Amino acid sequence: MALPRRQIFTLPEIAARWNVGMADLACYAVDEILVFSTVVRNVRVEFGYFDRTPEGETFRVPGGEKYLKGVAHLYGVDIWPVFKGQTVKITRFRADEPDHYLMCPFERERVPVKLDDLVLTRAAIEAFEQLQGVGAAEPATNKPAVASPERKARPPGPGAPLRHDWDGFYIELCRQIHENGLPSTQAAL
């Protein structure tokens, strides 16, 4: 039985995956190139939408209150101090619909966020990778590797080039063990 795919990833995992530093991730946050999130539990927020007066002034139209739980998306400018080692009390979250808002007007409901609390969702990672042309085709999954003739070679990385196709070796080894079972001795491999 295959395990479900992970939907959130920590910043150190993504920094290592893309070979970037935390300063780069901070810039992606502020530039709104990448949507960062945090996990919340029962945070009371006011929701609604933005409207404009005939003169062009924007104002909020409250729709009510609700409780957020699970992954909540953040604004990059709100989390900039987090990358500088500070803890930030979040007063607003990104709404799923454009021109809508999720505000945290209640002081005791504001969520303290530090660097370890920030995560990236699978959807944000895949959108960023597709747009920027970086990273793997898919964040680390719990799916087994499958040998296929159109498998692409691993992109070159730092250090000396590989002498052997280790990916192909391990795929073939797994295929043989899957089809024939474990051999009685190591030499029989």
Side-chain angles (χ1 to χ4, degrees), residues 97-114:
E97 305 87 19
D99 295 327
H100 283 67
Y101 70 89
L102 296 170
M103 298 293 290
C104 215
F106 316 103
E107 182 67 38
R108 67 180 179 275
E109 299 289 335
R110 293 182 180 164
V111 180
V113 173
K114 55 186 186 298

Side-chain angles (χ1 to χ4, degrees), residues 19-48:
N19 196 26
V20 298
M22 287 296 162
D24 296 308
L25 293 177
C27 290
Y28 300 154
V30 172
D31 293 339
E32 301 288 336
I33 297 172
L34 191 56
V35 177
F36 289 76
S37 306
T38 191
V39 178
V40 298
R41 185 183 69 170
N42 295 328
V43 176
R44 186 170 57 156
V45 295
E46 174 187 294
F47 66 90

Side-chain angles (χ1 to χ4, degrees), residues 5 13 21 26 28 34 36 46 59 90 95 102 116 129 132 135-136 153 156 160-161 167 174 180 183:
R5 293 170 42 168
E13 289 175 309
Y28 300 154
L34 191 56
F36 289 76
E46 174 187 294
F59 63 95
I90 299 299
L102 296 170
D116 292 343
E129 288 179 345
Q132 302 298 323
D167 292 337
C174 290
N180 306 323

